[in-house]
């Protein structure tokens, strides 16, 4: 008589719920974990990983797509399993659906390749109940009865071949879309992978694995970035952290031995399935096949958490069989669940905005220069320059070669007119990284402010050399040429900026103003009209063109543009002041008086406006005297 397999529901019967209730409980817990961040911002590297993703950018959310298609792919395999279990032939249709959906997930995210591998593990262990140890032994002894071991049973070999072929095909498509070159990482991204010693690399890779395992067990110390000294390298066997490696491999080897050698077939299958789901999804992040650009990344343990849950649940069922006071065990498990739900909800809320995310990392990785840099950048973006300077200085102190922190700090100091220190920082940044185009441009701006024009020009051209399409640099180069009265060169530089970036409003404006100031009204008008065709809602362009049209005595058209600009920006004193001048010239003195007064109310110190207003008042008084006479 065949031995019946153990039933986990029987072992933990005090948690047993009807199917629909169980689904509702899982849905409710999931909702509680993530409900507070469904409308959060795109933060940190989401712009590059999601918004600017070449493959998933059309839809916008690569992580969501990957998770969705993984779920659908796995459900396809479950559907095939159910049809097979109910006595039907194993459905190749559902296998093909699984392959296609898993492949689409692979297109969205690099971890998608593991999805097809997990389906293969599920097929072999759950559907075909494959005995891995028996299969290995038969392969080693070249036993001809491999079919009895489950390898060819129910078309397993064919389905795994199908999965591998689909995965290889989509990998090729992704390779063609994303390009053939490997990504370039630096030592600060993944210090262990740049270590000269094979021993140091191996020992630190394994330490990283143990930290990932610990985060699965106790997800308390979470950080958006673990690079730049967050985890110092282990360089000798006397480092106490080696204990973590020993503990990890002690547990893994114990589980693997049980998964392969246990006499209980049910236990072997569950442990092998759990270990497969735990290890296979993590392999792309293991540094074994290629260098990755991070030390630890929370996202790479999302899929391995499936295997962790399988192992945890099975371990819990074993304890339940032997426990005398099962209620205490139930309370402990519910307590763990509650703590993890609360932690998940807290972490989810931290990902709502960059400020919360970056500040949450300060206590976890205080030695990470990138954490301080991102806090500073967030503060600078909000206009809090004084606080930003503090964090940028700390980032540079922690990593004296952090050129991006130097560049941003130099920018703020430049805006605060602390030009000497700004120049020192930017000069050091380009010395450390000679192809840092943004730092060259900012150095040029500082040198221009210091009236070292030749050096500034050289810095601008060096920036353009390293970044061919750099409209902002052409714009600043044009400003330099304008200061030197090299008007043709200035116009050419600004024209280059608008060719590279047609919506570059400042470059268009400067062209119009320079042509206006040099008396080229017809050309200024043509440039202004061209600019407004490209950027029709830019009120500063309307204002500049209105000035040109007014000087050309095209009063009606000039008035319309002034009014449109004022409607878009009603609090601009210069808009009202220049419209008043137009009315003054045109003879509409009452309207001129009205807009002079509005302009002076908005800015009592507006240059020329008070003098023009006084001239108008005297003229109005003279007209009143003549009318009275």
């Amino acid at each position: 008589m065949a031995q019946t397999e153990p039933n986990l529901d029987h072992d933990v019967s005090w948690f047993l719920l009807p199917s629909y209730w169980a689904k509702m409980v899982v849905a409710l817990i999931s909702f509680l974990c993530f409900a507070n961040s469904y409308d959060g911002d795109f933060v940190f590297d989401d712009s590059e990983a999601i918004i600017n993703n070449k493959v998933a950018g059309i839809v916008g959310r690569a992580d969501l797509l990957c998770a969705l298609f993984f779920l659908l792919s796995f459900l396809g395999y479950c559907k095939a399993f159910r049809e097979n279990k109910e006595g039907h032939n194993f459905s190749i249709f559902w296998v093909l659906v699984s392959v296609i959906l898993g492949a689409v997930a692979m297109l969205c995210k690099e971890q998608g390749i593991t999805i097809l591998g997990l389906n293969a593990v599920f097929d072999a262990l759950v559907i075909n109940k494959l005995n891995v140890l028996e299969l290995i032994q038969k392969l080693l002894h070249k036993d001809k009865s491999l079919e009895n071991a489950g390898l060819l049973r129910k078309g397993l070999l064919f389905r795994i071949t199908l999965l591998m072929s689909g995965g290889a095909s989509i990998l090729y498509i992704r390779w063609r879309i994303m390009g053939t070159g490997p990504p370039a990482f630096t030592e600060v991204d993944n210090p262990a992978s740049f270590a000269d010693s094979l021993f140091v690399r191996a020992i630190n890779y394994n330490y990283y694995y143990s930290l990932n395992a610990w985060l699965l067990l106790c997800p308390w110390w979470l950080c958006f970035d673990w690079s730049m000294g967050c985890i110092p390298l282990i360089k000798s066997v006397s480092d106490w952290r080696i204990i973590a490696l020993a503990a990890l491999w002690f547990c893994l080897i114990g589980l693997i031995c049980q998964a392969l050698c246990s006499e209980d077939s049910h236990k072997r299958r569950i442990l092998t399935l759990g270990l497969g789901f735990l290890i296979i999804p993590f392999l792309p992040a293991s540094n074994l096949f290629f260098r990755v650009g991070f030390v630890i990344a929370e996202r790479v343990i999302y899929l391995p958490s499936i295997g962790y849950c399988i192992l945890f649940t099975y371990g819990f069922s074993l304890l339940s069989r032997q426990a005398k006071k099962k209620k205490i065990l139930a309370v402990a498990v519910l307590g763990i669940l509650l703590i993890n739900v609360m932690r998940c909800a807290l972490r989810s809320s931290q990902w709502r905005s960059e400020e919360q995310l970056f500040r949450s990392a300060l206590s976890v990785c205080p030695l990470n220069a990138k954490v301080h840099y991102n806090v500073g950048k967030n503060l600078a973006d909000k206009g809090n320059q004084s606080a930003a300077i503090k964090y940028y200085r700390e980032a540079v102190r922690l990593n004296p070669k952090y050129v991006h922190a130097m560049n941003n700090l130099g920018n703020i100091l430049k805006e605060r007119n602390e030009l000497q220190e700004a120049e020192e920082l930017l000069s050091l940044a380009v010395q450390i990284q000679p192809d840092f185009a943004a730092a060259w441009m900012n150095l040029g701006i500082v040198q221009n402010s210091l009236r070292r024009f030749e050096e500034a020009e050289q810095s601008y051209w060096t920036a353009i050399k390293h970044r061919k399409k750099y409209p902002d640099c052409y714009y600043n180069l044009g400003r330099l040429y304008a200061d030197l009265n090299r008007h043709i060169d200035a116009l050419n530089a600004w024209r280059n900026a608008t060719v590279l970036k047609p919506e570059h409003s400042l470059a268009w404006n400067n062209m119009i103003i320079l042509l206006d100031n040099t008396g080229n009204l017809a050309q200024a008008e043509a440039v202004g009209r061209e600019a407004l065709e490209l950027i029709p809602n830019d009120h500063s362009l309307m204002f500049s063109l209105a000035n040109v049209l007014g000087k050309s005595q095209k009063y009606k058209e000039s008035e319309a543009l002034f009014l449109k600009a004022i409607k878009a920006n009603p609090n601009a004193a210069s808009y009202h002041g220049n419209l008043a001048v137009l009315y003054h010239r045109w003879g509409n003195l009452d309207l001129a008086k009205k807009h002079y007064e509005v302009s002076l109310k908005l800015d009592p110190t507006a240059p020329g406006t008070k003098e023009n207003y006084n001239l108008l008042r005297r003229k109005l008084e003279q007209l009143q005297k003549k009318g009275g006479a």
Side-chain angles (χ1 to χ4, degrees):
M1 182 176 178
Q3 182 181 356
T4 58
E5 293 187 349
N7 189 330
L8 295 184
D9 287 342
H10 179 267
D11 294 333
V12 288
S13 57
W14 30 274
F15 273 157
L16 189 60
L17 293 173
S19 176
Y20 61 91
W21 274 110
K23 293 173 184 176
M24 288 180 66
V25 169
V26 171
L28 177 61
I29 292 174
S30 303
F31 178 79
L32 291 175
C33 287
F34 301 105
N36 60 351
S37 65
Y38 79 97
D39 59 344
D41 301 331
F42 284 116
V43 298
F44 190 38
D45 56 359
D46 286 346
S47 295
E48 292 301 318
I50 299 175
I51 299 172
N52 298 329
N53 188 308
K54 292 181 182 178
V55 178
I58 298 174
V59 184
R61 290 179 179 263
D63 286 313
L64 179 60
L65 278 179
C66 185
L68 175 62
F69 286 122
F70 164 72
L71 176 63
L72 294 176
S73 175
F74 190 69
L75 288 177
Y77 240 88
C78 292
K79 174 66 174 176
F81 173 49
R82 178 169 292 183
E83 287 190 0
N84 177 69
K85 193 172 181 180
E86 291 173 355
H88 304 295
N89 292 328
F90 200 99
S91 174
I92 297 299
F93 168 76
W94 287 109
V95 178
L96 287 172
V97 169
S98 175
V99 171
I100 293 169
L101 293 172
V104 173
M106 194 188 305
L107 277 175
C108 299
K109 291 289 283 183
E110 63 275 9
Q111 291 89 349
I113 190 172
T114 63
I115 293 171
L116 299 180
L118 293 178
N119 283 339
V121 171
F122 180 80
D123 191 339
L125 298 177
V126 177
I127 298 176
N128 281 272
K129 301 180 180 179
L130 188 68
N131 187 328
V132 177
L133 181 61
E134 182 183 349
L135 174 62
I136 293 172
Q137 291 173 342
K138 286 178 181 278
L139 285 171
L140 291 174
H141 294 90
K142 299 181 180 179
D143 196 321
K144 295 183 179 179
S145 60
L146 282 175
E147 184 174 353
N148 295 330
L151 181 64
L152 302 177
R153 190 188 310 155
K154 303 175 185 175
L156 172 61
L157 186 60
F158 170 73
R159 294 192 299 276
I160 289 179
T161 303
L162 194 63
L163 287 169
M164 292 176 65
S165 301
S169 300
I170 300 300
L171 270 178
Y172 175 74
I173 295 172
R174 180 184 172 93
W175 173 68
R176 292 299 300 268
I177 293 173
M178 301 298 289
T180 58
F185 299 120
T186 62
E187 185 175 355
V188 295
D189 296 321
N190 186 355
S193 66
F194 285 86
D196 295 328
S197 167
L198 177 62
F199 169 78
V200 172
R201 288 202 300 273
I203 208 78
N204 281 281
Y205 287 161
N206 281 274
Y207 181 57
Y208 296 163
Y209 306 157
S210 67
L211 289 176
N212 278 282
W214 176 249
L215 289 178
L216 277 175
L217 290 170
C218 182
W220 198 255
W221 296 289
L222 299 176
C223 183
F224 69 91
D225 184 272
W226 293 79
S227 64
M228 291 197 177
C230 195
I231 302 175
L233 289 179
I234 297 175
K235 296 183 179 179
S236 71
V237 292
S238 61
D239 194 313
W240 67 268
R241 290 175 293 172
I242 286 183
I243 297 172
L245 283 66
L248 171 69
W249 282 107
F250 177 80
C251 295
L252 275 180
I253 291 170
L255 287 170
I256 290 170
C257 289
Q258 287 293 311
L260 293 177
C261 304
S262 175
E263 296 180 358
D264 186 341
S265 62
H266 181 66
K267 182 178 183 180
R268 285 199 310 269
R269 243 183 2 264
I270 287 185
L271 289 178
T272 307
L273 182 68
L275 287 169
F277 273 78
L278 182 71
I279 295 170
I280 292 175
F282 185 75
L283 288 177
S286 65
N287 285 289
L288 293 177
F289 307 109
F290 44 81
R291 176 184 290 157
V292 298
F294 50 84
V295 175
I296 293 176
E298 296 165 20
R299 65 182 181 276
V300 304
I301 54 176
Y302 292 165
L303 290 179
S305 63
I306 299 172
Y308 164 72
C309 291
I310 292 172
L311 295 174
F312 178 86
T313 304
Y314 184 63
F316 174 59
S317 73
L318 294 178
L319 286 174
S320 296
R321 292 181 202 172
Q322 301 174 2
K324 294 181 179 179
K325 296 183 179 180
K326 294 188 176 183
K327 289 186 178 179
I328 296 177
L329 188 60
V331 170
V333 171
L334 288 173
I336 292 172
L337 177 63
L338 178 61
I339 291 171
N340 279 276
V341 168
M342 292 170 62
R343 178 66 181 116
C344 190
L346 174 63
R347 187 59 177 163
S348 182
S349 69
Q350 290 171 347
W351 275 89
R352 282 184 58 86
S353 69
E354 288 196 332
E355 181 180 6
Q356 295 179 70
L357 177 66
F358 297 154
R359 287 192 177 278
S360 71
L362 287 171
S363 59
V364 179
C365 286
L367 300 179
N368 188 337
K370 189 181 287 187
V371 169
H372 293 273
Y373 166 82
N374 280 287
V375 173
K377 186 175 183 300
N378 182 257
L379 288 167
D381 291 341
K382 293 181 177 180
N384 191 348
Q385 291 187 340
S386 299
I389 287 174
K390 169 190 168 186
Y391 286 100
Y392 281 143
R393 290 195 189 280
E394 180 65 9
V396 174
R397 187 190 70 81
L398 291 169
N399 184 0
K401 294 184 178 181
Y402 199 174
V403 292
H404 294 284
M406 294 176 189
N407 178 61
N408 287 17
L409 178 56
N411 249 340
I412 292 180
L413 294 174
K414 173 194 70 181
E415 292 172 9
R416 294 162 70 98
N417 208 35
E418 298 176 30
L419 300 179
Q420 292 297 335
E421 187 181 359
E423 184 183 21
E424 290 173 8
L425 281 165
L426 294 167
S427 297
L428 181 58
V430 297
Q431 183 181 344
I432 295 170
Q433 186 177 326
D435 63 347
F436 192 2
W440 277 113
M441 183 190 73
N442 290 323
L443 178 59
I445 295 172
V446 171
Q447 290 166 337
N448 191 10
S449 300
L450 292 170
R451 305 189 66 78
R452 301 214 303 271
F453 300 122
E454 289 185 10
E455 293 177 46
E457 182 180 9
Q458 185 59 43
S459 296
Y460 288 141
W461 282 115
T462 306
I464 292 168
K465 172 187 172 183
H466 293 301
R467 189 190 297 179
K468 304 296 183 186
K469 298 179 179 180
Y470 205 172
D472 288 343
C473 194
Y474 277 111
Y475 165 73
N476 284 298
L477 181 61
R479 290 183 60 190
L480 168 67
Y481 288 145
D483 290 342
L484 296 173
N485 292 322
R486 292 165 59 178
H487 296 159
I488 301 299
D489 289 334
L491 290 171
N492 287 336
W494 289 328
R495 176 58 71 175
N496 284 333
T498 59
V499 168
L500 293 171
K501 186 180 178 182
E503 67 276 13
H504 204 302
S505 173
L506 291 173
W508 285 114
N509 249 319
N510 280 20
M511 277 195 284
I512 298 168
I513 293 168
L514 179 58
L515 291 167
D516 181 3
N517 291 341
T518 54
N520 297 303
L521 296 181
Q523 195 175 351
E525 181 180 341
V527 171
R529 293 187 188 280
E530 181 185 357
L532 276 177
E533 284 183 9
L534 294 167
I535 322 172
N537 297 320
D538 191 303
H539 55 81
S540 63
L541 290 175
M542 298 174 196
F543 173 70
S544 297
L545 180 56
N547 285 328
V548 173
L549 293 172
K551 291 179 182 179
S552 300
Q553 297 187 353
K554 297 180 179 179
Y555 294 136
K556 274 287 184 185
E557 197 174 358
S558 177
E559 176 194 27
L561 278 173
F562 273 129
L563 291 173
K564 195 173 179 181
I566 288 170
K567 184 177 180 182
N569 187 14
N571 295 322
S574 59
Y575 291 9
H576 290 278
N578 285 27
L579 177 57
V581 171
L582 176 73
Y583 284 136
H584 199 160
R585 290 177 184 166
W586 199 356
N588 293 339
L589 302 184
D590 291 335
L591 287 174
K593 179 174 181 292
K594 171 187 171 184
H595 284 280
Y596 277 137
E597 289 172 350
V598 173
S599 178
L600 289 170
K601 184 178 180 181
L602 292 169
D603 182 8
T605 63
T609 304
K610 194 166 187 179
E611 291 78 359
N612 288 334
Y613 180 58
N614 289 332
L615 287 173
L616 176 64
R617 286 182 61 185
R618 285 197 293 269
K619 187 171 184 178
L620 288 172
E621 289 171 0
Q622 291 172 1
L623 290 173
Q624 286 177 353
K625 287 179 181 178
K626 288 181 181 179

